[in-house]
Amino acid sequence: MIRFVIFFFLLVTSLHASEPKGQVTRAEKEALLDLYNSTHGEQWKVTWDLNAPVETWKGVQVKDGHVVGISLFMNNLDGVLPESLGKLKYLSELNLAFNNITGVLPKDIVKLEKIKVLRLEMNRIKGALPEEIGQMKELETFSMFNNFLSGPIPEGFGSLTNLKELNLSSNNLKGIIPKSIGNLTKLQALGLFENNLEGEIPSEIGKLGELKELVLANNQLGGEIPQEFGQLASLQILQLQNNQFNSFTGLKNMNTKQLLVFDSDDKSLNPKFKEIQFERTRMADTKFEDAENDNE
């Protein structure tokens, strides 16, 4: 029995010793290869040499033998995201913005529990956001503006208490703004511009003391502006135009001298911007149009 134990120990030690130090696991490398194949890697602006070590591949960051970062911004990725992305357990940053990614978000993307930065803006991703997004507790940046997302904003966002930036502008999202957004006390920027959101702005947004940018323009929001807007002491950019509000009295509680950019469609308001008078500022319409998707 003792001999068997010693033999087993030596065998395991030998197997580990035979693996090159720092080499990523087979599962993680296969997930990268799936991304390469599903987005036509051979046609990327800068492609990967699949015969070279993973840590030499463009945009791939490896630490202690694990993939911790992927940055392929504006690199001509064309295709869908593979389900195996969820196997990159140590990934802390995924930046695939400004590409031509289609399809829906992989359901296993919520398994990236160490991820802090997720940037998928300016693609053609459709479908609903997963309610299970609340599992991604480390998220600090979630940006998917200018896609074709549909459905509601999940309540699960309220569990992402480390979130500093949430940008879902220029999509096809419907429903209300979840009250749970008020839990995001570290949030500095909230962009929901140009969707189909309705209902009232939740008063819980007044809890966001770190919020510097609030962009809710070009929706179907209604009712009154919450009185709690007066608590947004850090706010510098506020865009509310092109909605269906019936009262703007909540804005009168705000210290408008702190605002750099302001637009509310209430012509009676004429705030000072850092003591300097500027004309009202309109946000540019940046909707990402694609003729192939007009009938979807």
Side-chain angles (χ1 to χ4, degrees), residues 26-280:
R26 178 179 297 179
E28 290 183 63
K29 184 174 182 180
E30 287 179 351
L32 292 175
L33 291 174
D34 287 345
L35 176 63
Y36 178 91
N37 291 323
S38 65
T39 58
H40 298 92
E42 70 282 357
Q43 298 177 14
W44 292 354
K45 286 184 179 179
V46 181
T47 190
W48 289 342
D49 180 356
L50 302 184
N51 295 316
V54 170
E55 58 267 24
T56 67
W57 294 359
K58 172 186 168 58
V60 178
Q61 183 181 358
V62 177
K63 182 179 180 181
D64 298 330
H66 295 290
V67 178
V68 297
I70 302 174
S71 181
L72 295 170
F73 173 86
M74 200 179 289
N75 200 42
N76 198 38
L77 277 68
D78 188 354
V80 301
L81 297 178
E83 199 66 49
S84 56
L85 273 181
K87 295 180 179 179
L88 299 173
K89 304 291 187 182
Y90 294 85
L91 198 64
S92 64
E93 179 175 357
L94 179 62
N95 185 350
L96 305 179
F98 286 75
N99 283 291
N100 195 31
I101 298 171
T102 57
V104 300
L105 283 177
K107 66 179 185 302
D108 279 354
I109 201 166
V110 298
K111 294 182 178 180
L112 301 178
E113 296 183 358
K114 292 184 180 293
I115 198 160
K116 293 184 178 181
V117 177
L118 180 55
R119 307 197 73 99
L120 295 170
E121 61 261 30
M122 292 298 293
N123 281 287
R124 298 168 56 197
I125 300 170
K126 61 183 180 180
L129 291 166
E131 179 62 36
E132 297 81 6
I133 200 162
Q135 297 176 22
M136 305 167 82
K137 302 289 187 184
E138 300 298 318
L139 263 178
E140 296 179 3
T141 298
F142 187 91
S143 180
M144 287 195 69
F145 70 82
N146 280 55
N147 277 279
F148 296 98
L149 298 174
S150 56
I153 300 173
E155 286 279 351
F157 272 111
S159 298
L160 305 180
T161 52
N162 288 308
L163 208 57
K164 296 178 181 178
E165 176 188 347
L166 175 57
N167 195 335
L168 301 174
S169 294
S170 294
N171 279 287
N172 299 312
L173 298 170
K174 296 182 178 180
I176 63 172
I177 300 174
K179 293 182 179 180
S180 63
I181 295 292
N183 297 335
L184 309 181
T185 54
K186 296 181 182 179
L187 199 64
Q188 298 177 10
L190 176 60
L192 302 176
F193 168 82
E194 198 174 39
N195 280 285
N196 297 303
L197 301 174
E198 57 188 10
E200 297 186 354
I201 300 174
S203 61
E204 285 78 3
I205 283 185
K207 299 177 182 178
L208 306 181
E210 300 295 318
L211 198 65
K212 297 178 181 179
E213 301 179 21
L214 178 58
V215 183
L216 304 178
N218 291 27
N219 280 287
Q220 300 173 30
L221 299 168
E224 300 183 355
I225 304 298
Q227 299 290 326
E228 289 79 2
F229 266 34
Q231 302 171 21
L232 300 176
S234 301
L235 200 64
Q236 297 178 355
I237 297 173
L238 177 61
Q239 299 251 316
L240 301 172
Q241 72 271 15
N242 297 333
N243 279 288
Q244 300 175 8
F245 301 117
N246 56 33
S247 173
F248 292 91
T249 56
L251 296 178
K252 300 185 186 301
N253 294 329
M254 300 183 67
N255 176 14
T256 56
K257 292 181 180 181
Q258 73 196 40
L259 297 176
L260 297 174
V261 178
F262 174 81
D263 201 332
S264 72
D265 281 341
D266 185 341
K267 305 306 179 186
S268 67
L269 295 171
N270 186 26
K272 292 182 178 181
F273 302 87
K274 295 291 186 181
E275 302 295 341
I276 302 174
Q277 292 286 351
F278 288 101
E279 294 296 323
R280 290 174 177 271

